[in-house]
Amino acid sequence: MIKAKKKNETVFYRGFDDEGNESRGYPMFLGKGTFIMDDSLCTPFEINRETLCCWTGKNDCNGNPVFEGDIVRYNYEDFDTGEKVYEDYLVQWDREQAGFCISTPRHYYEDGLSGMEYFEVVGNVYKTPELAEQFDDVRRGI
């Protein structure tokens, strides 16, 4: 398994193998196989093609890279009640807009990645199905 990269390193793609192990780097397609080539090790790791996701170019509030298919959380204080609450969003690629967007289970936001430094990655559609199921109605091809 490839360990997460440091904040200042460029991460282009992420994928998971059939056991759920994560790899990051550059995609390679050899025959029927899909691989991630880690740029520091130059070792290809086979992944499940459906899990290949692109880095959005943004990082979350902890400096973690945000990928297509990630579930990000925005924590805030309710203006009326003063309660601390949160809302989860799904990061997606919008083919029609040719850009990344975010969705809640009820709303879709174009150009939703501005302010990503205030969000936290809390999971993704492949590793945390209990978080992903709330987005079943708004998923766009992930």
Side-chain angles (χ1 to χ4, degrees):
M1 177 164 60
I2 302 300
K3 295 185 178 174
K5 299 191 178 261
K6 297 175 188 169
K7 281 197 282 192
N8 60 349
E9 292 185 68
T10 301
V11 179
F12 291 104
Y13 292 88
R14 173 185 71 194
F16 298 93
D17 66 16
D18 291 335
E19 286 79 43
N21 298 314
E22 179 180 322
S23 297
R24 295 180 182 185
Y26 308 94
M28 292 176 43
F29 305 97
L30 301 172
K32 292 184 179 181
T34 303
F35 299 84
I36 294 278
M37 177 70 78
D38 180 272
D39 58 354
S40 64
L41 298 176
C42 292
T43 304
F45 293 89
E46 189 163 12
I47 62 164
N48 182 329
R49 181 171 274 183
E50 284 110 36
T51 68
L52 183 64
C53 294
C54 187
W55 179 47
T56 64
K58 302 284 187 175
N59 294 329
D60 74 357
C61 63
N62 297 315
N64 298 313
V66 178
F67 289 89
E68 171 188 11
D70 277 347
I71 299 166
V72 295
R73 182 168 287 166
Y74 181 67
N75 296 293
Y76 61 95
E77 189 174 303
D78 185 278
F79 183 74
D80 295 325
T81 66
E83 285 183 61
K84 292 190 180 211
V85 293
Y86 67 87
E87 189 156 25
D88 289 343
Y89 297 81
L90 176 63
V91 178
Q92 302 183 82
W93 176 258
D94 184 329
R95 287 185 181 106
E96 293 173 12
Q97 299 293 326
F100 291 102
C101 64
I102 58 173
S103 300
T104 68
R106 299 175 309 281
H107 297 87
Y108 164 77
Y109 299 94
E110 294 177 11
D111 190 32
L113 298 186
S114 56
M116 194 53 57
E117 65 273 11
Y118 300 106
F119 291 75
E120 178 180 17
V121 175
V122 294
N124 63 64
V125 296
Y126 307 108
K127 298 277 289 189
T128 51
E130 68 279 3
L131 290 175
E133 66 185 18
Q134 66 184 314
F135 298 102
D136 285 347
D137 292 338
V138 295
R139 286 173 63 175
R140 296 174 174 241
I142 295 176

